[in-house]
């Protein structure tokens, strides 16, 4: 499958609409996310490692906000436990349609079920691995706690949640520095200042980052006794939370 270059924000757009995961984004998504999220390829690969370690026999692994299924594929190729299924969920019809093609072209043996649905409407049961890879950041703040509680309830003891997010920092100078370093990462990857600025505006009030402290507090309140960061590059981080 070819991966066209993301040039969505390359020319001045008279009206910047809110960022949406529509057909235009789907077409360039693999290029967009690799050039926009520091460490994305490493995180995907490590989700495979973690799935190999934590997937339990006769259980379900969930990829919530799966987009084109990069984390699903990483898990599919690393799970060794017997009789596991992966359920991959996204509420963008365009993403799920393309993800179907990606799964059909893949020869992995672990069964994958793709669902076009709001992850908040999906019942989680008998889970050993749950992935929220840059998804929770797109959900309203007031709805985030209930999602983590549902995940906690749906996990088996010893199961794991992998939560990756763009994050904010309490300390204003540090926050600004991380944003500048992230923008510099994008510039190094070929995005112009115009592209960076227009995407930033389109993501305003759509992608809502929180501090790592806020995420850990929420995970604790949901029931996770243990959670901590296992990856961070600038303002992009991934946490691991284990159900005792
Ligand atoms: C940044 S992308 C996730 C990337 C993907 N997890 C990966 O590892 O490549 C965010 C995804 O979350 C999906 N999403 C946002 N809100 C959602 C919701 N309430 N229910 C299901 N999917 C959602 C979007 O459609 C989008 O595909
Ligand atoms: O913060 C940015 O500038 C981004 O482009 C980040 C981000 C993300 O973290 O999901 C936003 C939208 C796209 O899905 C790809 C990357």
């Amino acid at each position: 499958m070819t991966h066209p270059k993301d040039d969505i924000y390359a020319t001045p757009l008279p009206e910047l609409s809110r960022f949406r995961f529509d057909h235009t984004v789907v077409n360039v998504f693999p290029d967009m996310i690799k050039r926009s999220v520091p460490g994305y390829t490493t995180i995907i690969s490590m989700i495979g490692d973690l799935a190999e370690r934590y997937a339990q026999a006769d259980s379900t692994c969930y990829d919530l906000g799966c987009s084109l299924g990069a984390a699903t594929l990483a898990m599919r190729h690393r799970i060794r436990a017997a009789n596991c299924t992966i359920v991959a969920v996204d509420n963008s019809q365009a993403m799920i349609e393309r993800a179907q093609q990606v799964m059909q072209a893949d020869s992995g043996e672990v069964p994958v079920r793709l669902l076009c649905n709001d992850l908040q409407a999906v019942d989680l049961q008998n889970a050993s691995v749950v992935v929220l890879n840059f998804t929770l950041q797109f959900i309203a703040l007031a709805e985030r706690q209930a999602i983590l509680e549902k995940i906690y309830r749906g996990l088996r003891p010893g199961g794991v949640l992998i939560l990756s997010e763009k994050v904010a920092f309490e300390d204003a100078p540090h926050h600004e520095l991380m944003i500048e370093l992230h923008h510099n990462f994008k510039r190094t990857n070929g995005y112009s200042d115009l592209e960076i600025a227009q995407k930033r505006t389109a993501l305003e009030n759509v992608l809502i980052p929180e501090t790592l402290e806020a995420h850990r507090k929420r995970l604790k309140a949901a029931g996770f006794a243990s959670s901590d960061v296992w990856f961070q590059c600038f303002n992009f981080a991934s946490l691991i939370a284990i159900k005792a």
Side-chain angles (χ1 to χ4, degrees):
M1 217 167 278
T2 52
H3 295 312
K5 192 171 178 227
D6 168 26
D7 61 359
I8 294 176
Y9 297 102
T11 51
L13 298 169
E15 224 178 284
L16 270 176
S17 42
R18 282 165 65 84
F19 185 85
R20 286 174 57 234
F21 291 96
D22 57 13
H23 280 286
T24 317
V25 168
V26 167
N27 285 335
V28 299
F29 190 72
D31 177 69
M32 169 188 276
I33 196 147
K34 276 194 207 94
R35 288 202 288 140
S36 302
V37 176
Y40 175 75
T41 307
T42 302
I43 292 170
I44 290 294
S45 165
M46 294 306 144
I47 287 173
D49 271 40
L50 292 165
E52 180 175 350
R53 184 184 178 96
Y54 285 99
Q56 299 177 19
D58 307 308
S59 74
T60 304
C61 300
Y62 290 88
D63 183 4
L64 304 176
C66 61
S67 295
L68 303 183
T72 289
L73 288 183
M75 291 197 282
R76 191 182 206 190
H77 290 277
R78 294 293 299 276
I79 290 171
R80 298 283 168 262
N83 199 26
C84 282
T85 300
I86 301 172
V87 174
V89 183
D90 206 288
N91 66 352
S92 157
Q93 181 77 37
M95 280 292 186
I96 288 289
E97 278 170 15
R98 185 64 60 86
Q100 296 278 11
Q101 295 171 11
V102 172
M103 293 308 145
Q104 270 157 22
D106 177 69
S107 57
E109 282 167 15
V110 176
V112 174
R113 200 148 57 89
L114 284 166
L115 302 178
C116 185
N117 204 345
D118 190 313
L119 67 89
Q120 293 172 91
V122 172
D123 192 26
L124 262 85
Q125 276 179 7
N126 192 31
S128 58
V129 179
V130 178
V131 173
L132 274 171
N133 203 37
F134 303 106
T135 301
L136 196 67
Q137 59 191 16
F138 291 106
I139 293 175
L141 289 174
E143 292 164 20
R144 294 182 185 182
Q145 185 67 46
I147 292 169
L148 295 195
E149 284 170 10
K150 180 172 81 167
I151 290 170
Y152 185 82
R153 281 195 305 273
L155 273 169
R156 287 185 179 184
V160 71
L161 165 64
I162 300 153
L163 171 66
S164 313
E165 291 275 294
K166 185 177 191 180
V167 295
F169 299 89
E170 286 292 355
D171 182 73
H174 186 70
H175 182 75
E176 289 311 315
L177 174 62
M178 291 303 105
I179 288 175
E180 183 43 45
L181 290 171
H182 174 229
H183 287 174
N184 198 48
F185 168 87
K186 286 183 137 185
R187 229 172 270 124
T188 305
N189 286 332
Y191 284 119
S192 67
D193 288 340
L194 176 71
E195 286 177 292
I196 294 168
Q198 293 198 122
K199 176 98 179 272
R200 188 181 192 175
T201 304
L203 282 171
E204 241 158 61
N205 301 319
V206 175
L207 189 171
I208 305 162
E210 292 178 282
T211 62
L212 285 166
E213 292 71 32
H215 285 297
R216 292 191 62 187
K217 202 170 149 201
R218 192 180 287 120
L219 286 164
K220 188 151 203 186
F224 291 98
S226 151
S227 82
D228 216 330
V229 173
W230 65 270
F231 179 90
Q232 185 177 348
C233 183
F234 308 140
N235 47 348
F236 289 80
S238 188
L239 297 101
I240 182 164
I242 299 164
K243 180 165 175 172

